[in-house]
Amino acid sequence: MLPSQQMSRAILAFIFGLLLAAQPKPLNWAEIDKETLQHFSALVQINSTDPGGSEKPVVDYLKSVLDKERIESKVFTRTNLADPSRVRPNIVARLKGNGKKKPLLIVGHTDTVNIDAKKWTHGPFSAHREGGHIYGRGTVDDKDNLTATLMSILLLKRQGLPLDRDVIFLAEAGEEGATSIGIAFLVSEHFPDIEAEYCLAEGGSAVRQGGKLKYVSIQTTEKIPRGVKLIASGVAGHGSVPLRTNPVTHIAKAVAKVSEWQPPMRLNDTTRTYFERLAAMSSPEEKERYNGLLIPEKTDAIQEYFAVYEPRHNSMIRTSVSPNIIQAGYRFNVIPSEAEASLDIRALPDEDMTKFYETLKSVINDPVIRLVPQSGSARPAAPSSALNNEAFRAIETVAKRHYDGVPVLPAMSTGATDMAFLRAKGVQCYGVGPAIDSEDGPKGFGAHSDQERILESSLYQFVKFHHDLVVELAGAK
Ligand SMILES: [Zn+2]
């Protein structure tokens, strides 16, 4: 061999070596499933209920896993609290990209709703495996997303994939009703640490019916809780002498009028696309219904059908009002001087609430009734996340790859999530989640129920989907 040939061989070998080094390490999914189960079980076994438990041991666990992997993390804890003995930390970690694009934020929440231990067949913190399911509080809200988020950041680090953008891991506290120590605190005090172009968090799922995948639901916007109290005042008196001013009568009439009223239907980009895509995959009868929603001569009957048979759809097409508490009186023979009703209003993201309350007043049409907006759990209103950007296209591509090519439906959730705070800061947020049997919720196995559970196989599938999506959105192109 000529020296020049030897030389070029050496160069080739060197280049080949470089190419090999640039290749991501192949993943051993059987091993990853085992590791997923280990982290998931450990996280479910920690009592992080609110009230009753604490997010601190979850953060300690996550920190130790990240430390072991040499992923630097920061813990942010709000300190100026009424009860300083309750430490409720949030944890953030970042994998650096080359800065070509703005960061991707991946989020899970560490708290869960509380439990009534007596009602659980399998212990709420057992992570008990039976019949293909894993049982425990938080298995589908939100320790599934928390685990997928953790696995994604671990795998990305191990693979050493070059990234076009930073990937930020966030495990946040207080999602279930204490946002002031979680997302609201992070957004107001530490926003540069979590600022991102896109965010993936809870709120979506792959929907199965009869054990078959039907569609993948991606949350792109949500309704905003805007409760009000109706208060009627009158003169107290003896029950033997009925009064026209009796506040109980006024409140009862007001609640009845509100219940009979349907605020006007209004679709947005998300719900319009949702019904179009749902129609395309439905039976002829359902298809006619979903497509007829915007046809003037059909819409009233369809909306009435929704109100009776598809109440979630009825809520998705309008700002909804549900009277949930009535309080009045304390003694059989006393006419009380005050009565009140609490209305749970879930507003469309673009609702003008000042105008809405005015309309509500005119519907009630009773000068005795005062309307007092409740600000307790206020979440900010924000525009929907886009359906025509890089992120949503990537979600569609990757979802089809992992979920048998079923349609991807953008969805507006009727409940609230912490994404409202991020969307209000301009982050385009998408709610994702594992495959869920739609029959599970009504049977008492859903989120917040007494037998919360997840399909074990769907947890593993979700971790693969999540990882693939993060690589698609952040991997160097
Ligand atoms: Zn949740």
Side-chain angles (χ1 to χ4, degrees), residues 290-458:
Y290 300 138
N291 282 334
L293 209 48
L294 289 171
I295 300 173
E297 58 272 24
K298 289 185 178 174
T299 189
D300 286 351
I302 295 169
Q303 290 182 47
E304 181 56 22
Y305 181 92
F306 280 1
V308 179
Y309 298 104
E310 296 180 13
R312 199 176 61 86
H313 282 155
N314 188 40
S315 176
M316 276 174 63
I317 60 177
R318 55 171 45 88
T319 293
S320 57
V321 186
S322 179
N324 293 349
I325 308 174
I326 292 186
Q327 281 171 311
Y330 62 98
R331 238 189 106 99
F332 180 69
N333 58 0
V334 173
I335 297 171
S337 61
E338 201 164 270
E340 58 179 54
S342 302
L343 306 182
D344 185 355
I345 298 179
R346 300 301 174 115
L348 291 174
D350 63 347
E351 192 69 73
D352 177 340
M353 288 315 293
T354 311
K355 267 194 195 153
F356 188 86
Y357 292 143
E358 281 309 312
T359 311
L360 194 60
K361 261 189 206 159
S362 67
V363 167
I364 295 168
N365 191 25
D366 180 349
V368 167
I369 306 274
R370 275 183 300 134
L371 216 124
V372 184
Q374 304 294 293
S375 58
S377 59
R379 278 177 154 94
S384 307
S385 299
L387 306 182
N388 59 354
N389 62 6
E390 176 191 15
F392 195 74
R393 278 192 295 273
I395 291 169
E396 287 184 297
T397 308
V398 177
K400 288 206 161 129
R401 198 183 296 155
H402 288 268
Y403 292 101
D404 300 353
V406 296
V408 176
L409 272 56
M412 176 174 73
S413 55
T414 53
T417 75
D418 279 354
M419 284 186 284
F421 288 89
L422 294 163
R423 287 197 181 107
K425 294 287 278 185
V427 185
Q428 297 276 310
C429 294
Y430 299 91
V432 294
I436 303 274
D437 283 307
S438 57
E439 299 85 358
D440 251 19
K443 284 195 284 191
F445 295 115
H448 296 202
S449 78
D450 296 323
Q451 280 306 317
E452 191 175 340
R453 70 181 186 185
I454 189 169
L455 269 172
E456 190 171 327
S457 56
S458 102

